[in-house]
Structure formats: C-alpha cells, structure tokens
C-alpha cells in the first residue's frame, strides 16, 4: 500500500523532471507547484501530471489534486478515502473503472513511507531520481482528485510489505498516461525490475506517524546523508 509519501523535488526542479520524461515537448503548471512536503497523507493536495499528444510531442500539465479519488458519479464526501487502487481490480471496480479506461496520470514522489514491526522506513531510489507512480484521476464533486495504483510487492522490497506503488519506468510513461484502454490494462502489473532494483529502504524517524509532523528530519539520517 502507499499511505504516506514525500515530495521535496518541487518548483523548477519538478518542472525540469517532468520535461525530462520521454516525448515531453512542453510543460505547463498554471497553478504553480507545491511546497516541499515530507509527510504527505491522504486527503491532502498533491501534484498530478497529465500528458496529452500535442503536435510532434507530448504536452505535460502539472496540477494540484486531492489525494483520495472522487469518482465522477460521487455526490457527497461520504465513504472510504480512495487513496490507493489495487491493480488487480482497478479495471473492474466501479470506483476506478472509468478512470482506468482513460483518466490515467503520473504522481511524482521522492519516496514513500512503510512500516515494518511498527518501525517506519523511507523507500526511495538509490540514485535520488524522482519516482513516477501510476495514478488515476477523476473530477467528482467538481474537484480534481487522484489515487495511486498499487501492486503486489517484489524483490528487493518485498520484505517490507506485500504491497507497493506501481512505479513506471521511462519506457512505460507515455503508454500509461496517453494510451488506450488496452494499453492501460497491460501495465496493471508489478513495477519492473529495472525500477525495483534501484529501491532502498532506510529507517525513518518515528515522528512520521503523526501527520502534523512535516520536516526533512523525518527521512532519517541515511536518507539525508
């Protein structure tokens, strides 16, 4: 699962990372980019990246969205917070079915937290690059919202939890964000080894357990070295 994550690559650095995605010809962020966050929780606002064909390249749009999907048919805020969508059922579950067909996005993160034996760990790439989580978006209640797709975990991170975000590698980004329904379904499988093998998990500060805490020291000394 993914219930907390981190994004400190913001501002021009975030826009530069988006511009570096394969095929992206232009990047827009009409509402700006978020401040650095070290303990993002469900229902809070996160940036989503939506791609569309534009001439000979892709146009990327970075926008703020509620983390917790409001399906287009949603009429009130009652019900569970849909912050994760299981890849195995996303294409058929009513809450996610429509979004899986053609409302797919990227959710950037520098890493995420997971707990093992009641101790928090911070999971990140060993080379410091941004991770691109497969996301779904919708506009129920007249608000842009999103959810993170999760899959079964696999080595080298499966010791930590049996679920993990579905991270996309560069070769998968365009198909996920702009492909047809079949292209989206074909990517509802675990993160490929070329991304998983770069993941490391180090001890994080216990204070991350409270959503009120949001500062760099939560990452732990190994992640901040």
């Amino acid at each position: 699962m993914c219930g907390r994550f981190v994004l400190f690559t913001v501002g021009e650095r975030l826009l530069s990372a988006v511009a570096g995605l394969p095929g992206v010809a232009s990047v827009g962020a009409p509402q700006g980019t978020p401040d650095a966050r070290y303990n993002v929780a469900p229902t809070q606002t996160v940036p989503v990246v939506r791609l569309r064909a534009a001439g000979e390249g892709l146009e990327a749009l970075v926008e703020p969205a509620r983390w917790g999907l409001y399906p287009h048919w949603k009429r009130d805020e009652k019900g569970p917070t849909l912050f994760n969508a299981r890849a195995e059922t996303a294409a058929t579950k009513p809450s996610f079915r429509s979004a899986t067909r053609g409302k797919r996005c990227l959710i950037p993160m520098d890493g995420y937290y997971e707990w093992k034996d009641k101790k928090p760990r911070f999971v990140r790439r060993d080379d410091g690059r941004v991770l691109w989580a497969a996301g779904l978006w919708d506009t129920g209640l007249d608000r842009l919202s999103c959810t993170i797709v999760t899959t079964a975990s696999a080595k080298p991170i499966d010791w930590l939890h049996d679920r993990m975000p579905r991270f996309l590698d560069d070769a998968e980004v365009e198909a996920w964000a702009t492909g047809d329904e079949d292209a989206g379904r074909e990517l509802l499988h675990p993160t490929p080894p070329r991304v998983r093998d770069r993941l490391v998990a180090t001890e994080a500060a216990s204070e991350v357990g409270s959503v009120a805490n949001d500062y760099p020291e939560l990452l732990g000394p190994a992640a901040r070295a």
Side-chain angles (χ1 to χ4, degrees):
M1 64 177 294
C2 180
R4 302 282 182 84
F5 73 88
V6 172
L7 181 64
F8 50 77
T9 299
V10 295
E12 290 300 321
R13 292 175 58 218
L14 177 58
L15 299 183
S16 178
V18 174
L21 291 170
V24 171
S26 64
V27 180
Q31 299 181 62
T33 64
D35 294 330
R37 296 290 308 281
Y38 297 90
N39 196 7
V40 183
T43 75
Q44 295 179 347
T45 300
V46 302
V48 298
V49 181
R50 294 190 283 178
L51 303 178
R52 68 177 183 179
E56 297 182 357
L58 297 174
E59 179 181 86
L61 182 62
V62 183
E63 295 181 287
R66 176 188 190 265
W67 183 20
L69 195 74
Y70 286 147
H72 64 89
W73 43 259
K74 190 77 169 171
R75 295 293 179 265
D76 56 50
E77 296 186 357
K78 296 179 181 178
T81 304
L82 304 175
F83 60 92
N84 285 167
R86 294 177 67 92
E88 298 87 346
T89 58
T92 56
K93 191 171 182 179
S95 295
F96 307 119
R97 185 169 54 211
S98 175
T100 303
R101 289 172 180 165
K103 298 176 181 177
R104 301 188 297 271
C105 63
L106 314 176
I107 300 176
M109 61 176 73
D110 286 293
Y112 69 101
Y113 296 109
E114 196 56 83
W115 278 256
K116 178 74 172 181
D117 299 327
K118 299 182 179 181
K119 295 180 180 179
R121 269 78 170 189
F122 177 53
V123 182
R124 67 192 191 283
R125 281 186 64 116
D126 60 3
D127 58 3
R129 289 180 56 190
V130 171
L131 289 159
W132 301 101
L136 305 174
W137 63 270
D138 213 329
T139 54
L141 301 182
D142 296 321
R143 181 177 180 183
L144 183 62
S145 60
C146 66
T147 189
I148 294 172
V149 176
T150 67
T151 70
S153 190
K155 293 183 181 301
I157 211 73
D158 56 343
W159 64 271
L160 184 56
H161 199 278
D162 62 357
R163 304 291 299 177
M164 66 178 290
R166 183 12 172 140
F167 293 121
L168 300 161
D169 73 3
D170 287 351
E172 297 174 321
V173 164
E174 183 173 355
W176 174 257
T178 69
D180 60 18
E181 182 177 353
D182 289 339
R185 283 177 178 267
E186 289 177 3
L187 291 172
L188 292 173
H189 59 72
T191 299
R194 52 187 172 271
V195 177
R196 294 199 320 263
D197 289 348
R198 304 307 302 257
L199 297 179
V200 294
T202 52
E203 186 174 345
S206 60
E207 288 82 3
V208 75
S210 171
V211 298
N213 296 323
D214 190 346
Y215 41 82
E217 289 76 15
L218 296 177
L219 304 181
R224 293 186 289 109

